Amino acid sequence: MMALSISNRIMAQLEPMVPISLEQMESVRLMNRTDSKFIANTTQLASLLGMTSQDYLVQEIGNERIASYRTLYLDDSELTMYTQHHCGHEPRQKVRIRSYVDSNLDYFEVKIKNNHGRTKKKRIQLTDASTWRNDLTDAFLARNAILPIRLSEMEPRLSNSFKRITMVNTGRTERLTIDTDLCFHNEGTGVDRHMDNLAVIEVKRDSNTPSPIMDMLRELRIFSSGFSKYCIGMALTEPGIRRGNFKERLVRIEKLTKL
């Protein structure tokens, strides 16, 4: 699965920004945070990055400001976790293997959204992305998450790759992740979908402090929108799957990616 390259215009917007190291970024702990997602096209993203240069720092690792990620999502044959998300069930979980390509690290992760809208993540490092069945046990999963399915029932359903920009505001009260060059591959149907013109922006901030990025997003008419990579990817690549509750979001994504 080949990822499409980030536009030169976006790369150019990152160059003048002040860098922050991974170690410095890890010291930014948001204990009372809220998370919000936004979707935009790459033209809007380039404008946004140009507006943020005075208020935000960009994470830099080994002289690189853009990191490569891969993810493999697991579910059972009935797509239980997809269905729970589609129906708005809470609490709900997603299970994935997240690969940090540049640092050659792989993690098994369980994301849990509780009935208060809060998301928690549990993870364990793997020997390799392909060894997850050998590295894990049902006992581990029972200690770390309440899952609707057993390990033996999990199978690969969807993989993706994307590029990520990570930023923090100068006040250290807010983190941004910006994902671009998103590519999906359905492990069952073999269907691929590239979304090279889409940017997914996630704002993680201290709910008690002002947010510079919110005013910038409003000015550019970039609006809040839920975006689950697993659910959107499945809805786009799995014929016959239930997608009615995602229909409005899918239409909006289609419009953005064609602009």
Side-chain angles (χ1 to χ4, degrees), residues 5 23 41 44 81 90 119 182 198 202 231 241 251 253:
S5 62
E23 292 75 20
N41 58 46
Q44 290 173 309
M81 285 181 277
E90 293 180 351
T119 300
L182 185 57
L198 186 73
E202 185 166 9
C231 293
I241 200 171
V251 169
I253 291 167

Side-chain angles (χ1 to χ4, degrees), residues 11-169:
M11 294 283 287
Q13 296 288 0
L14 293 177
E15 288 179 2
M17 296 187 70
V18 176
I20 181 171
S21 69
L22 178 61
E23 292 75 20
Q24 291 171 314
M25 182 70 79
E26 288 178 344
S27 69
V28 181
R29 298 187 179 275
L30 307 177
M31 304 306 293
N32 183 30
R33 80 181 195 195
T34 59
D35 298 351
S36 304
K37 287 185 179 179
F38 302 80
I39 55 174
N41 58 46
T42 51
T43 298
Q44 290 173 309
L45 174 59
S47 298
L48 180 67
L49 290 174
M51 297 167 68
T52 60
S53 60
Q54 299 301 312
D55 296 292
Y56 289 85
L57 314 174
V58 60
Q59 180 175 284
E60 184 176 276
I61 303 175
N63 296 320
E64 296 293 335
R65 300 186 172 192
I66 299 171
S68 297
Y69 286 68
R70 287 197 304 266
T71 314
L72 177 65
Y73 291 95
L74 308 173
D75 210 333
D76 62 9
S77 59
E78 301 298 320
L79 300 180
T80 297
M81 285 181 277
Y82 172 88
T83 302
Q84 287 186 346
H85 195 118
H86 179 267
C87 296
H89 178 80
E90 293 180 351
R92 60 176 180 259
Q93 305 84 17
K94 279 183 291 196
V95 176
R96 69 190 188 191
I97 298 165
R98 169 61 57 82
S99 298
Y100 299 82
V101 177
D102 303 314
S103 53
N104 197 31
L105 294 173
D106 303 288
Y107 291 90
F108 179 90
E109 298 182 343
V110 180
K111 290 188 73 175
I112 309 160
K113 185 170 184 179
N114 65 25
N115 54 8
H116 300 291
R118 293 284 180 178
T119 300
K120 295 183 178 180
K121 183 169 68 175
K122 302 284 187 177
R123 74 178 188 175
I124 183 173
Q125 187 171 349
L126 300 173
T127 305
D128 182 80
S130 64
T131 65
W132 59 275
R133 285 197 186 277
N134 295 327
D135 291 349
L136 299 168
T137 64
D138 281 314
F140 163 79
L141 296 178
R143 288 194 304 269
N144 288 276
I146 302 172
L147 289 175
I149 59 177
R150 295 176 60 84
L151 181 64
S152 59
E153 299 173 316
M154 296 180 191
E155 55 189 67
R157 302 304 309 185
L158 182 82
S159 56
N160 69 33
S161 65
F162 58 95
K163 304 290 188 180
R164 172 165 288 184
I165 301 163
T166 302
M167 301 165 64
V168 62
N169 68 333

